């Protein structure tokens, strides 16, 4: 660690220093992530097949695992300038409070109305859809960050936006719904009677409160049935990690400017979009043998795809209409306990991150939600930002590592991703404030039962 | 207007360029704002009398109308660095959409968890209370921005925080309440049975949903009955405008850096804290004869203190426990219609702004809430920020002025204050989205009846 320049509380790049290209970490991976498979033929999905669901440019990005730098169109960069560059914050107050010799930095992606990093990919996906002459896009949303981000991007580009929102969130988070409506989106609680798959699920489970996997199925069906529509997804996919690389690129530029080298890089991981974006250029440097870092993915103990899942081909959705992806997965039927309030509920993990994890380049840690909210409250009071529960998974481990530095007298640079704010998560905070929050860890038996339903391919683990 | 340098989307000052002193506009006013009066003696309040309610340093600031620059203590500056400098944004997208030759700028104060500029004064007031060795502070809050800001400041300084929240907001905005609780504040719906004045009001009006004036009375009573507590207020007072001058000082520095001279400066006005802070250094330059600007205060048509109130001594609170202030007022019993959702509900206006308005240095405009929410939605879709209803009053008039520039072919520089975000105002947005929002303008008879209850002093208008 060497930092000679005085570091401000917040490092903002100039607009002229903002990235002009996305960085595609797959280009530097010797062993690439496994391809998506057509569930009918079990053959790799072709561009043509993918083009029925996704718009063309995004299909090209999805399949391109050799081009390292992909230009960011000017229109997207203009939009980015409305809320980026995002600050890299030196957590001076947190360091002082923890009395740690470590230096703590976080990249704060919450200073926009979507409340998270999701906007980075939403505008890119909406832009390519608009450029292709499409009329609109469909998507799913859970907690609502992705749906809000996509609504904002579509409003800006005057593109129609149809969001399937997991029913329990639709009811418990009416304010997220209203933000999306204010941005002109159509929001439908999922499962719904507007799609065949929704009707089917409702017949089988009339009382279901929905799941991400189910909402994905409905959104895909909706897109494929409408003229001039495509489906877009806020995480998991290679293209999303590509767009989110802007997080890591900005972070690395800001750190380079001040000669800061992070020792540990921490991010929360649900589908992997934030973590994949944050670590991308650092991981690239490591893959090229230029540097060495510790990367830690933090996931909820109630939805532990990396730490307790299996690396296998699985469906991305409940209705099994999507391609198969090779990823760490808990099984596409797995739904975290209803008392889980902390986000990051997806059953699988980005194929790129899964492959990096499988190669031992990435550590993973699972944390329980009560400890996550304790970290969140602590952070809020000291650093003045009320974090999203998702982001608070990273905060929890960053604090743990900073305390370890204190105990060992180590002056490490800790970097974590603060993906968003918790302004729409106050029901969860209320449970925490009222001491009405419990932890939940799935049993081995539950996971085993879920793994048993994985699609039957050769060489699948069980 | 002369702007030769290329202007980025967002102008951020360096931390080293942040103001080191607050600016006290009263020092440059030839005719000063009228002093606060003791309601019993009708004599100007002394420092000793004020010290029973407010902490000492704040009393000194309240009474000082001759010192132009007052140092900002380092501890407050450290806190500011966690969320400031706030960006001065060039609204390129809005200009393009409006097809106006005007250049539109806004100072965005919403990038912090309190969601508004209120934090600027909250940390100052909490700091001086802590420095005096107090145990805690009490306050009132309406929509909750001020209470949230104070809770954050108190959590940071480990000071007890007791908030009386207008009952209707307490019930309709449970999330604001939970943010305050997360920051460790005690939140009581007002009127309550915990104070004498609260009990009295409840006896007289058992079904009341509360008002700011009533919550102020309860908070003051609570502070004066507890050992080591003082009362703090988020607007109206001279000290608050002093702290909020950081908004204008940063704005002016950022504009000076790029040789931008605003022609029109617009801010929403409830109690006047944001507007007073934004215009302070510009008004100072004008008072010193160095420059000339147009200043426009925008208020809701449903609570039009400047445009339809009278300039008179009035009570600041419903319980009449506070000093009398000379201000534009609708009468201390005036409560805006229940269908008014847009904030800025206070019956009076900052004595400093009232005096400037009375001297003809400030224009005022009243706008109806439906048009305010239309402007808010338009702005959100184009500029990507969901604004607070309060701030949207300024947006409405900024857009009106930009359209006028288009019609007249004038290339003016328009500056407005974007005081905060609307993330906790989604009930109001929902009414707007559902076309379930109406306007309300008090009748002349209603106002006349309210004016008739003004305290009986010599030379009071009726």
């Amino acid at each position: 660690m060497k930092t000679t320049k005085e570091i401000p509380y917040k490092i903002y790049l100039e607009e002229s220093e903002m990235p002009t290209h996305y960085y595609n970490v797959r280009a530097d991976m010797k062993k690439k992530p496994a391809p998506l498979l057509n569930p009918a033929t079990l053959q790799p999905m072709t561009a043509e097949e993918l083009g029925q669901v996704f718009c063309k440019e995004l299909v090209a990005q999805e399949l391109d695992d050799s081009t390292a730098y992909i230009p960011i169109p000017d229109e997207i960069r203009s939009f980015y300038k409305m809320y980026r560059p995002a600050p890299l914050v030196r957590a001076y107050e947190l360091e002082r409070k923890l009395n740690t010799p470590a230096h703590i930095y976080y990249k704060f992606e919450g200073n926009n109305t979507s409340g998270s990093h999701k906007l980075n990919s939403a505008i890119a996906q909406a832009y390519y859809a608009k450029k292709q002459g499409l009329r609109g896009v469909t998507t799913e949303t859970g907690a609502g960050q992705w749906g809000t981000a996509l609504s904002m991007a579509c409003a800006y580009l005057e593109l129609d936006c149809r969001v399937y929102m997991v029913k329990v969130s639709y009811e418990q988070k009416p304010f997220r719904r209203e933000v999306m409506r204010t941005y002109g989106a159509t929001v439908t609680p999922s499962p719904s009677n507007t799609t065949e798959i929704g009707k089917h699920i409702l017949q089988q489970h009339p009382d279901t409160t929905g799941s991400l996997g189910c909402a994905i199925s409905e959104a895909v069906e909706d897109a494929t049935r409408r003229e001039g529509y495509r489906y877009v997804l806020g995480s998991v996919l290679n293209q999303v990690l590509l767009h989110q690389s802007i997080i890591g690129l900005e972070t690395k530029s800001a750190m380079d400017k001040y000669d800061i080298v992070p020792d540990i890089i921490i991010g929360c991981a649900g589908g992997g979009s934030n973590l994949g974006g944050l670590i991308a250029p650092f991981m690239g440097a490591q893959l090229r043998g230029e540097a060495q870092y510790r990367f830690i993915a933090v996931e909820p103990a109630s939805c532990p795809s990396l730490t307790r899942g299996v690396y296998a081909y699985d469906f991305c959705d409940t209705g099994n209409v999507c391609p198969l992806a090779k990823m760490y997965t808990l099984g596409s039927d797995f739904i975290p306990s209803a008392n889980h309030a902390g986000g990051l509920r997806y059953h699988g993990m980005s194929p790129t991150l899964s492959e990096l994890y499988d190669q031992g380049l990435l550590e993973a840690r699972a944390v329980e939600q009560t400890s996550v909210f304790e970290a969140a409250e602590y952070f809020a009071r000291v650093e003045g930002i009320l974090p999203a529960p998702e982001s608070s998974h990273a905060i929890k481990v960053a604090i743990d590592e900073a305390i370890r530095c204190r105990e060992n007298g180590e002056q490490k640079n800790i970097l974590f991703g603060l993906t968003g704010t918790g302004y729409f998560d106050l029901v969860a905070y209320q449970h925490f404030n009222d001491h009405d929050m419990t932890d939940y860890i799935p049993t081995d038996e539950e996971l085993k039962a879920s793994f048993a339903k994985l699609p039957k391919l050769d060489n699948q683990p069980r």
Side-chain angles (χ1 to χ4, degrees), chain A residues 129-184:
Chain A
K130 182 79 180 181
K131 200 177 152 206
Q132 189 174 324
L134 297 179
R135 291 181 48 209
V137 290
T138 72
T139 199
E140 79 295 331
T141 199
Q145 288 180 335
W146 168 246
T148 307
L150 191 67
S151 306
M152 291 173 66
C154 288
Y156 177 79
L157 295 167
E158 298 180 354
L159 202 61
D160 189 32
C161 181
R162 302 179 56 80
V163 181
Y164 288 84
M165 186 172 188
V166 176
K167 191 183 277 176
V168 60
S169 292
Y170 183 91
E171 285 160 3
Q172 286 184 0
K173 299 199 172 186
F175 291 173
R176 279 277 190 206
R177 183 186 74 209
E178 288 308 321
V179 180
M180 290 185 258
R181 288 183 68 207
T182 302
Y183 281 93

Side-chain angles (χ1 to χ4, degrees), chain A residues 38 47 121 151 245 386:
Chain A
N38 183 319
S121 185
S151 306
S245 70
L386 188 80

